Amino acid sequence: MQNNNKNQQKRPPVSFEKNRFAFIFTILLVALFLFLLLFNGNGPSIELPYSTFVQYLEQGYIESVTIYDYKEIHALTKSGVGGISSFKSKIPYPDEELMSLLREKGVAVQGAGSRMSPLTIILNSLPWVLGFIFIWFMFRQVQGNGNKAFSFGKSRAKLYSDTDKKVTFEDVAGQKEAKYELEEIVDFLKNPGKFTKIGARIPKGVLLVGMPGTGKTLLAKAVAGEAEVNYFHMSGSDFVEMFVGVGASRVRDLFEQGRKNAPAIIFIDELDAVGRTRGAGYGGGHDEREQTLNQMLVEMDGFDTKDGVIILAATNRPDVLDPALLRPGRFDRQVVIDMPDIQEREAILKIHARKVSLDLGVDLQRIARATPGTSGADLENLVNEAALFAVRNGKKIVELSDFESARDKILLGVARKSKIITPEEKLSTAYHESGHALLHYYLEYADPLHKVTVIPHGQALGLAISLPEKDEYTKSRGWIVDRIKIAMGGYVAEKLIYNQTTTGTKKDIEQATTLVRRMVVEWGMSEELGFVAFGQEEEPIFLGKEIARHKDYSEETAKKIDMEMDRILRSCMEATTKILTDHRDQLETLAKALVREETLDDEQIRELLDLPERVKRDLI
Ligand code: ADP
Ligand code: MG
Ligand code: ZN
């Protein structure tokens, strides 16, 4: 299941228009700058021969001169010598007499360094100009928003105002326990006196913990909507920027804003982006993140709940958080946001189905039943996909079939009807999938089959899909053994029909092997080894969900484990082969029908194979 987290705030990309404007602006500035430099440096525009200069000097027409590095001379004349007030001359050779002549005539003399040619000026200033442009663009890039350039350390926290559409607890289906805890926070923010009078201490920080898409962000918004206090929202990833120190100053700013606007809620979404355990060697060189986290810890210690500021945070990885964050006085209260159960799923569907026009025949309870293991975000997505299917089919209302297509799309990935498959491959896929499918009807603990298809989905050439009848959190040994047999069904069918198997069995073999191994080493489901767990799981912080096992058993035990696995696999294989051999005629019928129809559901299969109707049929 995908995490459809749509609440992450993406910064708007720097728009091309704005950039072009800035670019032209910069060019104009630079041009003006150069122009002024050149104009100033050029001096008098009239150039006269040196001989003329000397002549004027001797005649006493010159008022003052500036000599440039003994190469060029700029002269100001006494009021209007032939209409020329100033001119310049090149000094052609070292003139020994010039000095005495100037002194004799009482001319004011100034010296100056060599005059730069315009080209030198441009070449000299080029690095500066380019550097300036570069830095300027970097700032804009980092800042994202052109008009906010140079306001780095400011938190970009969002303040929810009354104009935003308010989210309340009504908009959050289920989550009773979480709501109960959060209501207390709301209550406190509304009238703190009630709590402080008896001396009750309200938690400073509340951490919402739950899988992606379970509604953590939604709940935080609902708290703000209910409490009617100022609400600052920032995502953990917003703190972490490319420049060291920026994150820390953003944290400082965020808390300052919160304090200034108390009573207030500060919500830090995806806390794990900043709050990972320090010094865990995550990628290396994460000084910036560490500084940000330290600043957060300092800020959390530095204020009192009496100030009327409460910090909410959300994460789906509480295991990677720095323990310092979870100490008393920080996020000392954790609220677990669970995946929804059947009733909650129905309630969530109801909330989102309000937005679309539903056909009367759509029973949301049935849909809830048929979507085990999905999150609130998935269900929202499901309703939307169903509406899209309805539109695509030119309907005005959303029907049950649209929900079914949507669910299959979300659960199985998009059907790839365009994939080209040879007829032989299609037939062998049909046998393979029929092998899986048929077993569902002959195994005691197997989930009912939903449908079987030979239309490629993603990597798979075909699929046999089952659906559990109810939400189950634990599985029995019988269910697992039957699951292994079902996984073997494809392989066994191929072997029966073609006397050889294909590479299409890879995933099935993997699945069966994993299940058998876990039966033996984790779940105590082997008679031989019994109640024992081998190779305890460890979850090192750095590896995230990667589970490392360490071997804590002897070679002898290893051999026993292998033997037990082998024994279980063999007995499953035997049982599977027996079922499919006994019902080979049905296997053939089903496979041929599949080649023709491409997809068959439970009802069609029962009719085709003359099987009794299923008693309980809640699934869509
Ligand atoms: P999280 O932050 O836990 O990843 P979100 O709060 O972003 O999840 O949830 C994503 C969307 O899923 C929400 O915007 C909402 O539409 C829907 N959703 C999730 N849980 C619920 C719920 N309990 N009730 C109603 N809608 C929900
Ligand atoms: Mg979220
Ligand atoms: Zn298979």
Side-chain angles (χ1 to χ4, degrees):
M1 194 75 7
Q2 255 139 22
N3 164 19
N4 298 294
N5 201 337
K6 295 182 195 113
N7 281 3
Q8 272 176 17
Q9 266 127 25
K10 286 254 149 44
R11 267 173 268 139
V14 182
S15 81
F16 174 69
E17 272 308 308
K18 262 189 191 160
N19 245 343
R20 199 171 55 170
F21 174 73
F23 187 72
I24 292 171
F25 184 72
T26 315
I27 294 290
L28 281 178
L29 255 180
V30 170
L32 185 73
F33 171 73
L34 285 180
F35 179 73
L36 285 176
L37 249 181
L38 293 182
F39 193 73
N40 265 354
N42 240 356
S45 50
I46 299 164
E47 185 169 345
L48 297 175
Y50 185 62
S51 51
T52 318
F53 166 72
V54 175
Q55 197 187 330
Y56 282 177
L57 184 61
E58 278 171 346
Q59 286 163 357
Y61 291 150
I62 304 296
E63 168 99 47
S64 69
V65 294
T66 309
I67 298 169
Y68 289 91
D69 214 14
Y70 216 77
K71 279 189 180 121
E72 192 172 307
I73 195 158
H74 291 184
L76 275 180
T77 60
K78 284 177 180 159
S79 47
V81 178
I84 298 168
S85 61
S86 69
F87 66 91
K88 59 183 173 190
S89 290
K90 293 254 157 58
I91 302 172
Y93 52 89
D95 189 350
E96 315 260 290
E97 289 156 39
L98 182 61
M99 276 307 116
S100 46
L101 195 58
L102 284 167
R103 220 173 291 144
E104 186 186 308
K105 295 288 171 189
V107 176
V109 178
Q110 269 186 327
S114 65
R115 268 203 345 100
M116 283 190 285
S117 77
L119 192 67
T120 335
I121 293 171
I122 293 176
L123 285 180
N124 278 343
S125 50
L126 207 58
W128 292 96
V129 173
L130 287 180
F132 177 72
I133 295 176
F134 177 72
I135 290 172
W136 204 51
F137 272 88
M138 284 291 281
F139 271 32
R140 293 173 49 84
Q141 217 62 43
V142 167
Q143 204 56 33
N145 258 330
N147 52 7
K148 276 199 289 182
F150 304 106
S151 66
F152 263 114
K154 292 271 179 281
S155 72
R156 279 175 285 131
K158 281 241 164 63
L159 179 64
Y160 275 77
S161 58
D162 295 333
T163 49
D164 288 328
K165 199 177 150 281
K166 230 180 225 160
V167 178
T168 63
F169 284 146
E170 294 260 293
D171 300 307
V172 187
Q175 306 297 359
K176 263 219 183 88
E177 292 85 359
K179 278 186 194 167
Y180 178 79
E181 298 248 3
L182 293 171
E183 252 155 25
E184 196 178 85
I185 305 283
V186 171
D187 203 16
F188 170 78
L189 286 166
K190 276 185 164 165
N191 50 71
K194 186 170 113 189
F195 290 81
T196 45
K197 238 180 249 159
I198 353 174
R201 197 178 61 85
I202 276 286
K204 257 187 210 179
V206 180
L207 184 60
L208 307 177
V209 178
M211 304 276 279
T214 45
K216 298 181 293 296
T217 309
L218 186 70
L219 262 169
K221 276 188 197 152
V223 171
E226 293 280 338
E228 295 172 318
V229 296
N230 290 316
Y231 175 83
F232 297 91
H233 174 161
M234 225 171 143
S235 182
S237 52
D238 289 345
F239 290 115
V240 189
E241 290 282 4
M242 56 198 296
F243 295 116
V244 175
V246 173
S249 89
R250 277 192 186 148
V251 170
R252 220 175 296 129
D253 186 68
L254 175 66
F255 280 78
E256 204 179 288
Q257 279 192 48
R259 239 170 280 153
K260 258 192 238 154
N261 296 292
I265 293 171
I266 294 174
F267 176 50
I268 302 168
D269 208 352
E270 332 245 326
L271 180 67
D272 42 296
V274 263
R276 275 178 196 269
T277 302
R278 285 165 295 180
Y282 218 92
H286 266 287
D287 265 3
E288 160 64 355
R289 202 176 46 73
E290 225 162 86
Q291 272 190 23
T292 311
L293 175 56
N294 285 338
Q295 188 64 38
M296 197 173 285
L297 296 175
V298 168
E299 292 288 344
M300 286 196 79
D301 291 342
F303 76 88
D304 210 309
T305 337
K306 274 186 281 190
D307 298 343
V309 181
I310 284 183
I311 305 166
L312 286 183
T315 183
N316 46 20
R317 298 295 312 277
D319 51 327
V320 302
L321 289 184
D322 196 291
L325 272 172
L326 306 176
R327 269 209 285 274
R330 290 167 186 162
F331 291 106
D332 42 10
R333 189 175 289 193
Q334 293 196 18
V335 176
V336 176
I337 316 289
D338 277 323
M339 287 293 261
D341 61 20
I342 284 197
Q343 270 127 43
E344 287 177 313
R345 285 202 300 271
E346 191 185 339
I348 294 172
L349 283 168
K350 256 188 202 140
I351 285 182
H352 294 292
R354 269 190 239 140
K355 296 171 214 155
V356 300
S357 350
L358 275 196
D359 180 56
L360 281 179
V362 178
D363 179 357
L364 293 178
Q365 197 190 347
R366 271 177 70 171
I367 301 167
R369 215 183 275 278
T371 46
T374 51
S375 71
D378 297 327
L379 292 170
E380 185 194 11
N381 191 18
L382 175 77
V383 174
N384 189 47
E385 286 290 344
L388 289 178
F389 270 110
V391 172
R392 234 172 273 158
N393 296 330
K395 290 187 238 174
K396 290 222 165 62
I397 47 171
V398 188
E399 292 169 1
L400 188 63
S401 63
D402 300 316
F403 274 95
E404 173 156 11
S405 311
R407 203 217 40 196
D408 286 352
K409 178 179 167 187
I410 292 172
L411 253 55
L412 317 171
V414 190
R416 289 173 51 192
K417 293 197 178 165
S418 58
K419 197 165 181 163
I420 295 164
I421 295 160
T422 60
E424 295 81 41
E425 204 169 10
K426 191 170 177 185
L427 182 65
S428 89
T429 306
Y431 273 116
H432 178 109
E433 298 307 331
S434 301
H436 288 308
L438 203 55
L439 286 164
H440 284 272
Y441 297 93
Y442 292 102
L443 292 169
E444 191 180 349
Y445 301 101
D447 290 328
L449 185 80
H450 173 52
K451 66 160 122 180
V452 56
T453 177
V454 289
I455 297 170
H457 285 73
Q459 288 297 312
L461 287 183
L463 291 165
I465 310 139
S466 61
L467 279 173
E469 253 164 311
K470 48 190 184 301
D471 279 14
E472 277 176 335
Y473 298 101
T474 57
K475 300 288 185 195
S476 65
R477 186 183 195 277
W479 186 91
I480 292 165
V481 170
D482 281 357
R483 187 70 235 162
I484 294 168
K485 291 176 191 161
I486 291 167
M488 289 172 163
Y491 178 93
V492 172
E494 286 182 26
K495 199 138 187 211
L496 267 182
I497 305 295
Y498 298 103
N499 210 16
Q500 65 172 351
T501 61
T502 65
T503 52
T505 55
K506 175 172 181 273
K507 279 269 172 308
D508 297 331
I509 295 174
E510 268 170 23
Q511 191 192 19
T513 312
T514 310
L515 282 173
V516 173
R517 166 161 276 276
R518 296 186 74 182
M519 279 178 73
V520 177
V521 304
E522 263 179 63
W523 299 328
M525 286 175 180
S526 118
E527 287 90 24
E528 183 72 18
L529 291 158
F531 187 82
V532 65
F534 295 109
Q536 296 294 340
E537 287 171 16
E538 307 179 279
E539 198 177 330
I541 289 143
F542 335 92
L543 294 186
K545 283 270 183 245
E546 233 59 66
I547 289 170
R549 264 170 197 285
H550 65 243
K551 213 175 149 197
D552 58 1
Y553 42 83
S554 65
E555 281 303 312
E556 203 178 318
T557 312
K559 227 178 243 166
K560 264 193 200 163
I561 292 174
D562 288 344
M563 273 166 64
E564 266 305 277
M565 283 176 60
D566 189 57
R567 194 184 61 76
I568 297 172
L569 282 170
R570 263 172 212 286
S571 86
C572 286
M573 184 59 82
E574 225 167 84
T576 311
T577 311
K578 176 155 178 18
I579 292 172
L580 292 185
T581 318
D582 286 355
H583 302 282
R584 189 178 165 136
D585 50 335
Q586 288 187 332
L587 183 69
E588 305 248 6
T589 316
L590 185 54
K592 277 167 196 149
L594 257 184
V595 169
R596 209 168 48 237
E597 307 287 337
E598 298 203 323
T599 301
L600 292 169
D601 67 13
D602 177 49
E603 208 172 334
Q604 291 166 316
I605 295 173
R606 282 173 193 274
E607 210 185 297
L608 179 77
L609 302 183
D610 218 7
L611 294 163
E613 213 168 293
R614 205 163 110 213
V615 198
K616 224 170 144 191
R617 294 197 57 251
D618 311 291
L619 304 174
I620 58 166

mmCIF file of all heavy atoms in Angstrom, residues 53-54 56-67 75-78 97-110:
data_model
loop_
_atom_site.group_PDB
_atom_site.id
_atom_site.type_symbol
_atom_site.label_atom_id
_atom_site.label_comp_id
_atom_site.label_asym_id
_atom_site.label_seq_id
_atom_site.Cartn_x
_atom_site.Cartn_y
_atom_site.Cartn_z
ATOM 1 N N PHE A 53 50.018 71.310 -25.640
ATOM 2 C CA PHE A 53 49.959 71.489 -24.196
ATOM 3 C C PHE A 53 51.112 72.367 -23.724
ATOM 4 O O PHE A 53 50.918 73.333 -22.981
ATOM 5 C CB PHE A 53 49.973 70.128 -23.484
ATOM 6 C CG PHE A 53 50.254 70.208 -22.014
ATOM 7 C CD1 PHE A 53 49.289 70.710 -21.138
ATOM 8 C CD2 PHE A 53 51.498 69.844 -21.507
ATOM 9 C CE1 PHE A 53 49.558 70.808 -19.787
ATOM 10 C CE2 PHE A 53 51.763 69.953 -20.156
ATOM 11 C CZ PHE A 53 50.785 70.435 -19.299
ATOM 12 N N VAL A 54 52.307 71.996 -24.171
ATOM 13 C CA VAL A 54 53.503 72.730 -23.750
ATOM 14 C C VAL A 54 53.393 74.196 -24.177
ATOM 15 O O VAL A 54 53.681 75.127 -23.414
ATOM 16 C CB VAL A 54 54.778 72.087 -24.333
ATOM 17 C CG1 VAL A 54 56.022 72.923 -23.995
ATOM 18 C CG2 VAL A 54 54.933 70.668 -23.796
ATOM 19 N N TYR A 56 50.574 75.944 -24.701
ATOM 20 C CA TYR A 56 49.611 76.618 -23.828
ATOM 21 C C TYR A 56 50.239 76.943 -22.491
ATOM 22 O O TYR A 56 50.019 77.991 -21.906
ATOM 23 C CB TYR A 56 48.369 75.738 -23.602
ATOM 24 C CG TYR A 56 47.384 75.721 -24.750
ATOM 25 C CD1 TYR A 56 46.251 74.924 -24.706
ATOM 26 C CD2 TYR A 56 47.569 76.542 -25.880
ATOM 27 C CE1 TYR A 56 45.342 74.897 -25.742
ATOM 28 C CE2 TYR A 56 46.671 76.506 -26.920
ATOM 29 C CZ TYR A 56 45.561 75.680 -26.850
ATOM 30 O OH TYR A 56 44.675 75.661 -27.868
ATOM 31 N N LEU A 57 51.032 75.948 -21.993
ATOM 32 C CA LEU A 57 51.659 76.111 -20.689
ATOM 33 C C LEU A 57 52.600 77.329 -20.704
ATOM 34 O O LEU A 57 52.562 78.179 -19.812
ATOM 35 C CB LEU A 57 52.422 74.825 -20.337
ATOM 36 C CG LEU A 57 53.085 74.760 -18.960
ATOM 37 C CD1 LEU A 57 52.034 74.891 -17.859
ATOM 38 C CD2 LEU A 57 53.839 73.456 -18.796
ATOM 39 N N GLU A 58 53.385 77.357 -21.748
ATOM 40 C CA GLU A 58 54.344 78.465 -21.852
ATOM 41 C C GLU A 58 53.631 79.806 -21.947
ATOM 42 O O GLU A 58 54.085 80.810 -21.398
ATOM 43 C CB GLU A 58 55.251 78.250 -23.069
ATOM 44 C CG GLU A 58 56.386 77.293 -22.730
ATOM 45 C CD GLU A 58 57.188 76.885 -23.939
ATOM 46 O OE1 GLU A 58 56.719 77.127 -25.083
ATOM 47 O OE2 GLU A 58 58.270 76.292 -23.761
ATOM 48 N N GLN A 59 52.463 79.789 -22.644
ATOM 49 C CA GLN A 59 51.723 81.034 -22.791
ATOM 50 C C GLN A 59 50.936 81.382 -21.535
ATOM 51 O O GLN A 59 50.265 82.410 -21.480
ATOM 52 C CB GLN A 59 50.770 80.923 -23.989
ATOM 53 C CG GLN A 59 51.518 81.002 -25.306
ATOM 54 C CD GLN A 59 50.701 80.490 -26.479
ATOM 55 O OE1 GLN A 59 49.580 80.021 -26.308
ATOM 56 N NE2 GLN A 59 51.261 80.595 -27.678
ATOM 57 N N GLY A 60 50.988 80.479 -20.521
ATOM 58 C CA GLY A 60 50.346 80.776 -19.249
ATOM 59 C C GLY A 60 48.845 80.566 -19.259
ATOM 60 O O GLY A 60 48.111 81.131 -18.464
ATOM 61 N N TYR A 61 48.342 79.707 -20.198
ATOM 62 C CA TYR A 61 46.899 79.460 -20.253
ATOM 63 C C TYR A 61 46.441 78.361 -19.297
ATOM 64 O O TYR A 61 45.266 78.156 -19.100
ATOM 65 C CB TYR A 61 46.495 79.052 -21.675
ATOM 66 C CG TYR A 61 46.604 80.167 -22.699
ATOM 67 C CD1 TYR A 61 46.883 79.879 -24.039
ATOM 68 C CD2 TYR A 61 46.402 81.503 -22.326
ATOM 69 C CE1 TYR A 61 46.964 80.870 -24.988
ATOM 70 C CE2 TYR A 61 46.506 82.500 -23.286
ATOM 71 C CZ TYR A 61 46.785 82.187 -24.608
ATOM 72 O OH TYR A 61 46.874 83.173 -25.531
ATOM 73 N N ILE A 62 47.378 77.616 -18.755
ATOM 74 C CA ILE A 62 46.977 76.428 -17.975
ATOM 75 C C ILE A 62 46.791 76.781 -16.498
ATOM 76 O O ILE A 62 47.643 77.406 -15.895
ATOM 77 C CB ILE A 62 48.043 75.319 -18.097
ATOM 78 C CG1 ILE A 62 48.289 74.958 -19.559
ATOM 79 C CG2 ILE A 62 47.625 74.059 -17.311
ATOM 80 C CD1 ILE A 62 47.115 74.351 -20.278
ATOM 81 N N GLU A 63 45.681 76.328 -15.952
ATOM 82 C CA GLU A 63 45.353 76.613 -14.566
ATOM 83 C C GLU A 63 45.895 75.514 -13.649
ATOM 84 O O GLU A 63 46.591 75.769 -12.688
ATOM 85 C CB GLU A 63 43.814 76.678 -14.439
ATOM 86 C CG GLU A 63 43.266 76.680 -13.031
ATOM 87 C CD GLU A 63 42.911 78.077 -12.582
ATOM 88 O OE1 GLU A 63 42.240 78.776 -13.380
ATOM 89 O OE2 GLU A 63 43.290 78.470 -11.474
ATOM 90 N N SER A 64 45.508 74.267 -13.957
ATOM 91 C CA SER A 64 45.970 73.147 -13.133
ATOM 92 C C SER A 64 46.075 71.894 -14.005
ATOM 93 O O SER A 64 45.430 71.803 -15.055
ATOM 94 C CB SER A 64 44.983 72.893 -11.994
ATOM 95 O OG SER A 64 43.774 72.385 -12.507
ATOM 96 N N VAL A 65 46.886 70.941 -13.546
ATOM 97 C CA VAL A 65 47.015 69.681 -14.287
ATOM 98 C C VAL A 65 46.970 68.486 -13.338
ATOM 99 O O VAL A 65 47.293 68.610 -12.163
ATOM 100 C CB VAL A 65 48.341 69.607 -15.089
ATOM 101 C CG1 VAL A 65 48.383 70.636 -16.198
ATOM 102 C CG2 VAL A 65 49.541 69.737 -14.163
ATOM 103 N N THR A 66 46.569 67.375 -13.890
ATOM 104 C CA THR A 66 46.677 66.101 -13.169
ATOM 105 C C THR A 66 47.504 65.184 -14.048
ATOM 106 O O THR A 66 47.186 65.000 -15.229
ATOM 107 C CB THR A 66 45.292 65.477 -12.941
ATOM 108 O OG1 THR A 66 44.449 66.463 -12.357
ATOM 109 C CG2 THR A 66 45.358 64.260 -12.034
ATOM 110 N N ILE A 67 48.554 64.642 -13.470
ATOM 111 C CA ILE A 67 49.433 63.794 -14.274
ATOM 112 C C ILE A 67 49.219 62.330 -13.875
ATOM 113 O O ILE A 67 49.293 61.983 -12.693
ATOM 114 C CB ILE A 67 50.904 64.192 -14.076
ATOM 115 C CG1 ILE A 67 51.100 65.643 -14.543
ATOM 116 C CG2 ILE A 67 51.831 63.273 -14.865
ATOM 117 C CD1 ILE A 67 52.433 66.234 -14.171
ATOM 118 N N ALA A 75 44.522 68.630 -18.326
ATOM 119 C CA ALA A 75 44.754 70.048 -18.019
ATOM 120 C C ALA A 75 43.454 70.830 -17.966
ATOM 121 O O ALA A 75 42.540 70.576 -18.747
ATOM 122 C CB ALA A 75 45.672 70.648 -19.082
ATOM 123 N N LEU A 76 43.355 71.721 -16.964
ATOM 124 C CA LEU A 76 42.245 72.682 -16.915
ATOM 125 C C LEU A 76 42.809 74.022 -17.368
ATOM 126 O O LEU A 76 43.847 74.455 -16.863
ATOM 127 C CB LEU A 76 41.712 72.805 -15.484
ATOM 128 C CG LEU A 76 40.678 71.793 -15.002
ATOM 129 C CD1 LEU A 76 40.284 72.107 -13.560
ATOM 130 C CD2 LEU A 76 39.449 71.814 -15.905
ATOM 131 N N THR A 77 42.139 74.638 -18.298
ATOM 132 C CA THR A 77 42.675 75.900 -18.816
ATOM 133 C C THR A 77 42.100 77.074 -18.054
ATOM 134 O O THR A 77 41.059 76.962 -17.404
ATOM 135 C CB THR A 77 42.323 76.062 -20.303
ATOM 136 O OG1 THR A 77 40.910 76.056 -20.405
ATOM 137 C CG2 THR A 77 42.918 74.942 -21.130
ATOM 138 N N LYS A 78 42.840 78.205 -18.094
ATOM 139 C CA LYS A 78 42.277 79.439 -17.534
ATOM 140 C C LYS A 78 41.150 79.845 -18.438
ATOM 141 O O LYS A 78 41.210 79.622 -19.651
ATOM 142 C CB LYS A 78 43.361 80.528 -17.475
ATOM 143 C CG LYS A 78 44.315 80.287 -16.322
ATOM 144 C CD LYS A 78 45.417 81.318 -16.294
ATOM 145 C CE LYS A 78 46.351 81.028 -15.131
ATOM 146 N NZ LYS A 78 47.666 81.646 -15.313
ATOM 147 N N GLU A 97 61.984 68.911 -18.608
ATOM 148 C CA GLU A 97 61.716 70.331 -18.349
ATOM 149 C C GLU A 97 60.310 70.591 -17.821
ATOM 150 O O GLU A 97 60.023 71.684 -17.343
ATOM 151 C CB GLU A 97 61.915 71.154 -19.633
ATOM 152 C CG GLU A 97 63.376 71.261 -20.040
ATOM 153 C CD GLU A 97 63.519 71.541 -21.516
ATOM 154 O OE1 GLU A 97 62.704 72.338 -22.034
ATOM 155 O OE2 GLU A 97 64.404 70.932 -22.143
ATOM 156 N N LEU A 98 59.435 69.604 -17.980
ATOM 157 C CA LEU A 98 58.027 69.809 -17.636
ATOM 158 C C LEU A 98 57.844 70.336 -16.215
ATOM 159 O O LEU A 98 57.138 71.317 -15.976
ATOM 160 C CB LEU A 98 57.250 68.498 -17.804
ATOM 161 C CG LEU A 98 55.749 68.553 -17.537
ATOM 162 C CD1 LEU A 98 55.059 69.516 -18.495
ATOM 163 C CD2 LEU A 98 55.107 67.177 -17.630
ATOM 164 N N MET A 99 58.545 69.688 -15.262
ATOM 165 C CA MET A 99 58.373 70.052 -13.868
ATOM 166 C C MET A 99 58.731 71.521 -13.608
ATOM 167 O O MET A 99 57.954 72.280 -13.027
ATOM 168 C CB MET A 99 59.255 69.163 -12.973
ATOM 169 C CG MET A 99 58.617 67.841 -12.649
ATOM 170 S SD MET A 99 56.970 68.043 -11.973
ATOM 171 C CE MET A 99 56.004 67.256 -13.231
ATOM 172 N N SER A 100 59.903 71.902 -14.067
ATOM 173 C CA SER A 100 60.347 73.272 -13.797
ATOM 174 C C SER A 100 59.424 74.278 -14.476
ATOM 175 O O SER A 100 59.082 75.323 -13.917
ATOM 176 C CB SER A 100 61.795 73.467 -14.259
ATOM 177 O OG SER A 100 61.951 72.927 -15.562
ATOM 178 N N LEU A 101 58.948 73.915 -15.675
ATOM 179 C CA LEU A 101 58.051 74.795 -16.410
ATOM 180 C C LEU A 101 56.744 74.991 -15.644
ATOM 181 O O LEU A 101 56.245 76.114 -15.501
ATOM 182 C CB LEU A 101 57.780 74.198 -17.782
ATOM 183 C CG LEU A 101 57.162 75.132 -18.818
ATOM 184 C CD1 LEU A 101 58.034 76.362 -19.069
ATOM 185 C CD2 LEU A 101 56.901 74.387 -20.117
ATOM 186 N N LEU A 102 56.190 73.872 -15.129
ATOM 187 C CA LEU A 102 54.936 73.925 -14.382
ATOM 188 C C LEU A 102 55.095 74.806 -13.151
ATOM 189 O O LEU A 102 54.255 75.640 -12.846
ATOM 190 C CB LEU A 102 54.499 72.510 -13.948
ATOM 191 C CG LEU A 102 53.907 71.616 -15.025
ATOM 192 C CD1 LEU A 102 53.815 70.176 -14.531
ATOM 193 C CD2 LEU A 102 52.527 72.106 -15.445
ATOM 194 N N ARG A 103 56.241 74.600 -12.471
ATOM 195 C CA ARG A 103 56.456 75.342 -11.244
ATOM 196 C C ARG A 103 56.606 76.841 -11.568
ATOM 197 O O ARG A 103 56.051 77.694 -10.904
ATOM 198 C CB ARG A 103 57.715 74.823 -10.538
ATOM 199 C CG ARG A 103 57.535 74.755 -9.014
ATOM 200 C CD ARG A 103 58.700 74.089 -8.353
ATOM 201 N NE ARG A 103 58.789 72.669 -8.650
ATOM 202 C CZ ARG A 103 59.934 72.020 -8.811
ATOM 203 N NH1 ARG A 103 61.083 72.656 -8.734
ATOM 204 N NH2 ARG A 103 59.936 70.737 -9.047
ATOM 205 N N GLU A 104 57.288 77.078 -12.613
ATOM 206 C CA GLU A 104 57.567 78.454 -13.034
ATOM 207 C C GLU A 104 56.274 79.206 -13.334
ATOM 208 O O GLU A 104 56.102 80.363 -12.981
ATOM 209 C CB GLU A 104 58.458 78.409 -14.283
ATOM 210 C CG GLU A 104 58.961 79.757 -14.776
ATOM 211 C CD GLU A 104 59.706 79.572 -16.096
ATOM 212 O OE1 GLU A 104 60.636 78.708 -16.154
ATOM 213 O OE2 GLU A 104 59.338 80.244 -17.062
ATOM 214 N N LYS A 105 55.335 78.502 -13.972
ATOM 215 C CA LYS A 105 54.079 79.143 -14.377
ATOM 216 C C LYS A 105 53.036 79.142 -13.255
ATOM 217 O O LYS A 105 51.925 79.615 -13.434
ATOM 218 C CB LYS A 105 53.476 78.433 -15.597
ATOM 219 C CG LYS A 105 54.345 78.548 -16.841
ATOM 220 C CD LYS A 105 54.314 79.951 -17.408
ATOM 221 C CE LYS A 105 55.352 80.131 -18.514
ATOM 222 N NZ LYS A 105 55.486 81.532 -18.916
ATOM 223 N N GLY A 106 53.414 78.549 -12.114
ATOM 224 C CA GLY A 106 52.498 78.554 -10.966
ATOM 225 C C GLY A 106 51.252 77.700 -11.188
ATOM 226 O O GLY A 106 50.169 78.023 -10.726
ATOM 227 N N VAL A 107 51.411 76.587 -11.905
ATOM 228 C CA VAL A 107 50.270 75.689 -12.156
ATOM 229 C C VAL A 107 50.116 74.705 -10.988
ATOM 230 O O VAL A 107 51.106 74.181 -10.486
ATOM 231 C CB VAL A 107 50.504 74.898 -13.468
ATOM 232 C CG1 VAL A 107 49.394 73.888 -13.692
ATOM 233 C CG2 VAL A 107 50.627 75.849 -14.634
ATOM 234 N N ALA A 108 48.870 74.516 -10.571
ATOM 235 C CA ALA A 108 48.614 73.517 -9.523
ATOM 236 C C ALA A 108 48.770 72.127 -10.133
ATOM 237 O O ALA A 108 48.135 71.819 -11.137
ATOM 238 C CB ALA A 108 47.206 73.682 -8.968
ATOM 239 N N VAL A 109 49.628 71.291 -9.502
ATOM 240 C CA VAL A 109 49.903 69.961 -10.069
ATOM 241 C C VAL A 109 49.372 68.861 -9.149
ATOM 242 O O VAL A 109 49.577 68.905 -7.949
ATOM 243 C CB VAL A 109 51.427 69.776 -10.284
ATOM 244 C CG1 VAL A 109 51.712 68.386 -10.824
ATOM 245 C CG2 VAL A 109 51.971 70.838 -11.204
ATOM 246 N N GLN A 110 48.680 67.924 -9.749
ATOM 247 C CA GLN A 110 48.202 66.755 -8.996
ATOM 248 C C GLN A 110 48.729 65.514 -9.663
ATOM 249 O O GLN A 110 48.886 65.476 -10.888
ATOM 250 C CB GLN A 110 46.677 66.694 -9.042
ATOM 251 C CG GLN A 110 46.010 67.436 -7.889
ATOM 252 C CD GLN A 110 44.544 67.204 -7.914
ATOM 253 O OE1 GLN A 110 43.969 67.064 -8.999
ATOM 254 N NE2 GLN A 110 43.921 67.188 -6.758
#
